[in-house]
Structures are given as structure tokens and as C-alpha cells.
Amino acid sequence: MTGKGDTVRGTREMSMPLAPDWRLLPTAVRAVVIVALTVACVATPGFFSLPNILSLLTTVSFMGCVAVGMTLITISGNIMSFSLGATAGAAAMVFIVAVNIGGIGIGLIAALAVAALVSAAQGFAVGWVRANPIIVSIAAVALIYGTAEIFTRHSSIYFKPGTGIEILRGKLGGVPLEFVVLLCVTAAGQFILYLTRFGRNLYMMGSSFRAAEAAGVKTWRTVTGAYLWAGAFTGLAGVMLAIRYDGANMDYGVGYEYDAIAAVLVGGTLMKGGHGSALRTLAGAMIIAIVQAMLLLRGFRQEWQYLFTGLIVFAVILLHSSGERR
Amino acid sequence: MPEVLSVEGLGKSYTGVRALHDVSFSLGSGEIRGICGENGAGKSTFVKILMGITQPDSGSIRIAGRARDIPGPRQAQGMGLGIVAQELSLAPHLSILDNIWLGSAGVPLLHRRQALRERAQKALDALGVGDWDLNGRVGALTMGQRQIVEIARLLARDTQVLILDEPTATLSDSEIERILAVLRELKAQGRSVIYISHRLGEIFELCDTVTVFRNGECVATKPVQEVSREGLIELMLGRPFDEMYPQHHANPDARNALVIERLTVPGMVHDFSAVAPRGKILCVAGQIGSGAAMVTRAAAGLLPDAIGRLTLDGKTLRLGSVPHCVARNVFFLSEDRASEGLFPPMKVLDNLVATRLYAHAPLGVLSWRALRRIATDLAERVGVDRNRLGTAAVNLSGGNQQKLLFGRTLERTEPGVLLMNEPTRGIDVGARAEIYRLMRRLCDLGYALVMTSSDLEEVVGIADIVVTMYRGRTVARYEGERIAMSTILADITHPAEQAAR
């Protein structure tokens, strides 16, 4: 079909309301968001100061690791897990207990193993029994909280003196260690999603469960795998929380799952599954962290941060849905 | 015959692609008009314009002699136009009565239910199904009965022109007969019908006139008596028609085959046995609900409760495990391509290599270079444009989607087994011939093909061996010259005579 033949030789023009090309919408929104954020950052006094940047990079790392894990679950078509925040809190406590007993190495292994197993068990329930992922994660929150509170009798736990944990509170080339970990986790997530068979199976399952099954994907293993990795990444977030705050209780993990869901959504990963990436989630996490840091600098209290995060998430959901309706 | 609908010079382009060009069309009252054309010929754009879903760039529409704009579906309803779409739009949990009035512009906020009930009853009476219970749930009806509820819904809204888009694609033969009878009844009442179908047999059986679309243009409108079957296909293709079904010239390897023994799926298939030799096409023929489709599903490992014994080349094939079947090169092509075959949002490339990630992932890490090379090669072999490897599968035409799914099964170390349900459903006549050629090529490569089809003409045209089924039981087996449409039709529809024989 040549370009010339396309000209409309109509007897009359139908009245067409301004018809925007909806495929350009995401690009347009991205441009607006980047410009608006840059302007707001420049206009916020103290935003580009070293202490602020460092604290921004540190705080985004906790939430970012959880969010990358959440991305795997979302892409696999299982929407989200509400239990990752509680898992992070539990991992932080396991880490401290194990470090006190056997040193940093043992602590790391124990924390990651517990977090991965707790999450993988939920994945098994979702993949094998075909339980609803949201319901399973809500039940898991209660189980994790209950178990942890029974053991700690609702108190915080701390490192023994002389564990040498202080050295992990440093920087690598001027960048907080936490942020380096986040970059590694993002790279690992991206590698899993794009370069492994498991990763491709996640996308296939997320875009059509029945087709994946008919194509011979071992669906329950794939789902369990997604939750296992999500748990491991969340465990890392918990370990970092314990190190940074020099102690842990179950309240440390509160709210991370919500921020992580927000990061996944803002990054543009679709809630229906089969589409998204770890890099997108990193971008989403950065946007949310920047907005929160800015609000803090401008003297808004915590409540306002919640409100703004909620508004952003809501706007993104509306945007995604309007894209799907066309 | 007074004119109820006429269209002059209709045109429509989508971002530079011409979907419809200078289409003129007129329909008399009491006329049944068939519309034929390959996928992408402009049929659905034409229908969308009539239903007010899209607006034309040019042209005019006259309804009952008056020039009209159709700004939206609700207005189309008000002008007496109505459609039964391919995907039925009924709510299964509501009653027939509620479904008939669902979304109707004619129901005021405060209405008398009794009046609605009477009008709905009249609509059912007009279709010869006045004995149906208006309070019955739609979910309990068969697909064919639901189709009739959709038509009743249009009658209750006093629709003068009914558009049916592939109404019989999912129906069994007896249900199709019923729908055709209903449509003839409507014609007798002076209503007009636009009947869109890929099934040429129905066009000849039902329609008064037929309009052929090709490349967005209306190329011909003729009374069906004046056009032959071959002539109609040539009009649709725009070129001479060689042969739909390729020659059978396979040299089957008798020792190697997929052997199915005493396959039973509780409640669906009873004691099914058959042999599918490599190099041949075995067709399990039966109406919807006969269990034919379950035989292929069970053999593909998709039914965990299936029992029986399957062997491939003498080695046992485990039932109930798809990964095991895929590892043995036994593949399933679903009749429901959109939800059980394709990964719609993923790229053509991803779709083509979906089942071969194992072979190209040492330690689970993929080699995209190898996969891309394979996908390019596969695309060429099944006839999908290699430049489209990057597009989302959902954007391909039905024919190309099916070729894509065939592509998944090719290029193995050894030829495999293909289990196909309705391999050409919803595929236009040109792409269909290509699919048949592809199936024959697979046979030549030593594949064993097992298919089910509710299109009898296809069964007779392509199958080497036919096994007929009725209500889960095998009726008879035919091979070669003994395959005939009349006996197959009798087998799958008249169980009593078979039992007596």
C-alpha cells in the first residue's frame, strides 16, 4: 500500500474529535514526569546536597530490593504479595540472631534462607494448590507476624558487641553499600528475566497461563521459583535494614510491600502479568524515593508522604487501565 | 423488494492503512445476504461502521431511504440494526429474560416487568422456541441455544437488519441446522440478514445473494445461483484457485506410530482406541460434546484424569503430563488459539521458540543468538514474514497466528506428533489452503498428525483415516476410499441407527 493511496478522497469529512494517538501516551507521560521531577528537585533547596543524596540512595535500596522481587511475582501473573514487608522484618531479626550465634556469614545465609523459604512456601500454595495469591499473602502476613512476636515477645533485638557488623555500614567509592546491593539485585533480576529459561517461562505464564501449560511449562515450579527469588531479594533488604538501624523488630518491615507495589506500578510493569522488567522497577523505585525525599525536605510530615505515594499509585493505575481499554 | 439499507462510497483508513475503500452496498427487506472475504478484506470494518463502533472517513449510509449518521452502538440499535458477534455477549448467570433486555435502549428506568416478559416471549415464539423458560439461566444452555437467545434479543428490540458474524464457528451440525432454520423464519417475516461466514457451504445453503470483499473493496455482489463454489473462492482470492487439499502421497512408516489403546476420560471419552501412523493424518470426527476434542487433549497430557495406554514408536507415553509429552515431541494445537496457544502480548520471536528453550539453555541460561536464528528459520518455513518477528503475536491475522503455532512444532531432531483441535477454525480460505499444505509437508517429514474437526468437508478433504465418535464412544473407522461425507455425517448425528447396525 503506497503512501499516496492513503489520502482520503471523501465526499464529506466525518466530524472527528481530536483523536490522540494513544500509543504515544506512555512516552508523553514519561517525558512530563521526568521534566516535572527535575524542576521540582532543582526548586527544592538542599535536594542536591550530599547528605540528602546519600540518604536518598540508602532509603531507596530497602524498598528497591523488595520491589525487584515483587516484579518477578507480578510478571508471573500473580499480581502481588502483601507478605514481603513482614518477610523483610523477619529476615532482619533472623539475621541478628544468627550473627550473634555464628558470625556475619552464617547470619547472611540464615536470613536469606528463611526469607526465601517462607516466600517459596507461599509460591507453592499458589502454584500447586492454585490458591489465590493475594489471599495467600494476607494469610502469610499474619503467620509471619504471629510467629515472630511469639519468639521475641514483642520487643526489639540487637547485635552483641564485637560482631564486626560496623564494617558493613560503609560506602563503596562514595556510594552507600546498600545502593550497590540494589544495583546488583536489579542486575540479577534483569538477568533472570531476560537471559534464563526460568525468566522466559515467567513471561509466558503471565501472558497466558493456559497457553504456558499447553506448551509444557512446569507451571508450579515456575511460580514457586518466582516467590523464592522474591523472598531472597526481600531477605537482603531485611539484612540491610538490620545493619543500618543496628537492631530489628517486626515493625521495621511495615509498609515496604506497599512502597514496592508502588514502585512496580510506577515503573510500568503491568499488573495482569507477562510484561515488565527489573530496570523499570528500579526507575519506579527511584521516582517514589525522590518524591518522598522532596516532601521531607519541604517540611511535609510522614502523613503527607503516604498521601502523595497513594496519589501517584492511583494515577498510574488509571493510566494503565486507560491504555488497556484502547 | 424495498431497500432497507444502502451504503454509498464508504471509506475508512487506520493510520495510513486503507481498510475500506469506496464500498457500495444495498440490502432489500427479506433478503439474506452472505458476506465472504479473507481475513483483513474489510468485512469487520464494514460491520463496525454499520454498528456505529467506528466512524467512516467518507461515504453515506441510508436506512429505510433516509440518510443517517450512526454515531454509536446505541443509535444503531435505535435505527433497527443489530449484531450477533463472534464472541457472544450474554451473561451466563442471568436468566434468558434478563439477557434479552440487558443493555437495551428501549427499557425505561421504571418499567413493567410483565410487559417486558410478554415482548420477550413474543420474540422467542417468532423463533419457534416459545417453549423455553424465560427464567432459565443462560449458563445452562448450549452454545447454539445461546446463539438463539442473542437473536431473540435483537428481535425484542425490533431489529430490522440482523448482522451475524461467523455465528456457526463454534456450533455442531445439528445446532447449525437450527440456526439456519431460524434465519429462514426471519426472512419470511420480512427481516433482512447479513451473514458473514468462512463456511461457503452455509452461504450457498442459506443466502439469496453474496457479496465478496477483497482488500477493502467490494468486488462483487451476485445471486448465489449464479456463482459456483470455485468461482466464489476465486473472487475472494483474486486469483485462480488451484487446489484446496493437497494430494495424499505419503509413504507411511507402518512400524512407527502413535498408538492409543482403551483411552478413557471419565464422563467424556469411553474406551477409545486408534492408531495414528507416522506420515498420515488421523481425523477424529464428532460433534461438539462427542469427546473427539478430549481425545487429543488427553493424548497431549492436558487431562490428569485420563486413563489408558499410549505408545509412540513402541515406547510408552505417560498420560497427564504436558512437559513429558513436549519432551517426546508430542505437541498440542488448541482450537482456542487466543487463550490456549498464543502468548498474545509477547513477540512473534518469543512465541516461536516457546517450546524449545530447553534445547538452547545450557544451565538454564539462554542463547538469544541461537534462538533468534531458529526463529528466523522457522518463520520462513511456515510462511510468516521474518520482519514481523518483533511484533506482538496478538497483532497477527488468524492464519498467521496458526502458522506461528505450527512453527513451534517444527525443526526437531526427530519428527514428532501433532494433536490438533479445529486447526482451521476462523481462518480464511487462502490461509487455510496454506495450512493444509503445511500439514502435508509435516506428514512427508514423518510426523504423525491427529486432528479433530467439526467441518465435515475438511475431514473428507484432508484425512487419511477417520474415526467417528458419538457421545464419547467410537462409532466406526474409515480409511482411504471409504471416507465419505454422508456416512460420517450419519455416524456423528444418528446414534440409534448405528446401534441397530
Side-chain angles (χ1 to χ4, degrees), chain B residues 411-433:
Chain B
E411 174 79 14
R412 298 279 163 173
T413 43
E414 52 174 306
V417 175
L418 239 61
L419 305 158
M420 302 172 281
N421 280 349
E422 305 286 347
T424 61
R425 174 180 291 171
I427 291 176
D428 64 60
V429 85
R432 192 176 277 220

Side-chain angles (χ1 to χ4, degrees), chain A residues 94-148:
Chain A
V94 169
F95 179 65
I96 292 178
V97 171
V99 166
N100 287 346
I101 294 170
I104 294 174
I106 300 284
L108 201 59
I109 292 169
L112 293 193
V114 166
L117 282 179
V118 164
S119 189
Q122 296 166 52
F124 182 77
V126 172
W128 183 257
V129 190
R130 302 271 176 88
N132 179 310
I134 306 274
I135 309 288
V136 166
S137 74
I138 288 173
V141 171
L143 284 171
I144 296 168
Y145 265 104
T147 314

Side-chain angles (χ1 to χ4, degrees), chain A residues 1-2 5-6 8-16 21 23 191 194-198 200-201 203-205 207-218 221 273-275, chain B residues 12-13 15-18 21 55-61 69 297 302 322-323 326 332 336 338-346 350 354-355 357-358 361 364-366 368 408:
Chain A
M1 202 158 290
T2 61
D6 301 337
V8 178
R9 283 163 294 163
T11 47
R12 95 200 137 99
E13 290 286 333
M14 295 296 292
S15 63
M16 269 284 264
D21 190 342
R23 284 167 302 177
F191 177 84
Y194 276 84
L195 291 174
T196 67
R197 193 174 63 226
F198 165 66
R200 296 325 284 175
N201 286 347
Y203 281 99
M204 284 193 243
M205 244 176 52
S207 58
S208 172
F209 184 86
R210 287 179 65 208
E213 212 165 35
V217 173
K218 291 169 182 157
R221 281 198 212 175
H275 176 86
Chain B
K12 172 77 187 173
S13 298
T15 52
V17 180
R18 199 174 66 179
H21 176 65
Q55 300 301 317
D57 299 332
S58 60
S60 62
I61 301 171
D69 274 341
R297 294 191 79 86
L302 280 160
V322 184
V326 170
F332 177 66
D336 193 356
S339 69
E340 205 182 15
L342 289 178
F343 302 108
M346 296 179 77
D350 290 317
T355 54
L357 297 180
Y358 253 97
V365 179
L366 300 174
W368 275 112
R408 265 193 207 161

Side-chain angles (χ1 to χ4, degrees), chain B residues 131-450:
Chain B
D131 53 333
W132 287 6
D133 178 12
L134 276 171
N135 297 326
R137 268 187 347 114
V138 161
L141 302 179
T142 65
M143 289 308 282
Q145 290 169 327
R146 292 186 202 192
Q147 202 83 253
I148 291 176
V149 173
E150 287 256 10
I151 296 173
R153 172 194 266 180
L154 297 185
L155 289 193
R157 291 164 195 192
D158 204 26
T159 304
Q160 290 305 316
V161 179
L162 291 90
I163 304 170
L164 288 94
D165 190 359
E166 294 261 3
T168 55
T170 53
L171 301 189
S172 61
D173 283 301
S174 56
E175 287 183 314
I176 291 173
E177 277 309 317
R178 180 127 195 217
I179 298 283
L180 297 191
V182 160
L183 293 179
R184 289 193 192 98
E185 179 66 33
L186 293 179
K187 171 188 163 73
Q189 295 166 15
R191 298 181 203 262
S192 312
V193 175
I194 296 177
Y195 191 84
I196 302 168
S197 183
H198 285 310
R199 298 189 172 185
L200 302 186
E202 287 165 17
I203 300 274
F204 283 102
E205 196 179 333
L206 175 74
C207 300
D208 305 310
T209 47
V210 56
T211 294
V212 179
F213 277 74
R214 189 171 72 227
N215 294 334
E217 294 183 40
C218 175
V219 291
T221 297
K222 290 183 173 178
V224 289
Q225 296 88 350
E226 289 176 19
V227 58
S228 70
R229 199 185 158 71
E230 285 68 31
L232 189 57
I233 294 177
E234 280 178 14
L235 278 173
M236 287 161 68
L237 292 175
R239 60 183 158 81
F241 170 66
D242 24 337
E243 188 52 57
M244 176 70 104
Y245 300 105
Q247 285 299 308
H248 310 199
H249 52 71
N251 43 338
D253 179 354
R255 284 166 300 128
N256 290 330
L258 174 73
V259 181
I260 305 172
E261 285 171 289
R262 304 187 68 93
L263 179 73
T264 297
V265 182
M268 289 186 268
V269 180
H270 185 76
D271 220 3
F272 179 93
S273 299
V275 177
R278 288 187 176 275
K280 288 203 174 189
I281 298 176
L282 166 71
C283 185
V284 185
Q287 303 212 42
I288 287 173
S290 66
M294 291 300 148
V295 170
T296 45
R297 294 191 79 86
L302 280 160
L303 300 178
D305 55 351
I307 46 174
R309 194 176 130 79
L310 264 72
T311 55
L312 177 58
D313 304 340
K315 279 190 282 182
T316 305
L317 196 63
R318 190 149 34 103
L319 281 168
S321 164
V322 184
H324 175 78
C325 286
V326 170
R328 293 285 303 275
N329 289 346
V330 177
F331 293 99
F332 177 66
L333 294 189
S334 173
E335 67 273 40
D336 193 356
R337 283 189 292 279
S339 69
E340 205 182 15
L342 289 178
F343 302 108
M346 296 179 77
K347 291 175 186 166
V348 170
L349 171 78
D350 290 317
N351 270 284
L352 274 171
V353 299
T355 54
R356 59 193 74 224
L357 297 180
Y358 253 97
H360 301 279
L363 304 172
V365 179
L366 300 174
S367 159
W368 275 112
R369 263 178 61 195
L371 289 175
R372 192 173 299 277
R373 202 181 57 234
I374 291 164
T376 313
D377 180 52
L378 287 177
E380 230 143 71
R381 286 180 60 185
V382 295
V384 174
D385 186 355
R386 58 187 286 178
N387 294 320
R388 304 199 67 176
L389 285 177
T391 36
V394 68
N395 294 331
L396 296 185
S397 69
N400 274 332
Q401 291 180 349
Q402 185 70 315
K403 287 190 225 160
L404 189 72
L405 294 179
F406 270 96
R408 265 193 207 161
T409 65
L410 287 173
E411 174 79 14
R412 298 279 163 173
T413 43
E414 52 174 306
V417 175
L418 239 61
L419 305 158
M420 302 172 281
N421 280 349
E422 305 286 347
T424 61
R425 174 180 291 171
I427 291 176
D428 64 60
V429 85
R432 192 176 277 220
E434 273 183 71
I435 299 270
Y436 294 139
R437 278 199 292 278
L438 199 56
M439 283 163 65
R440 275 296 159 204
R441 271 217 317 274
L442 290 175
C443 283
D444 294 344
L445 289 173
Y447 277 70
L449 271 60
V450 182

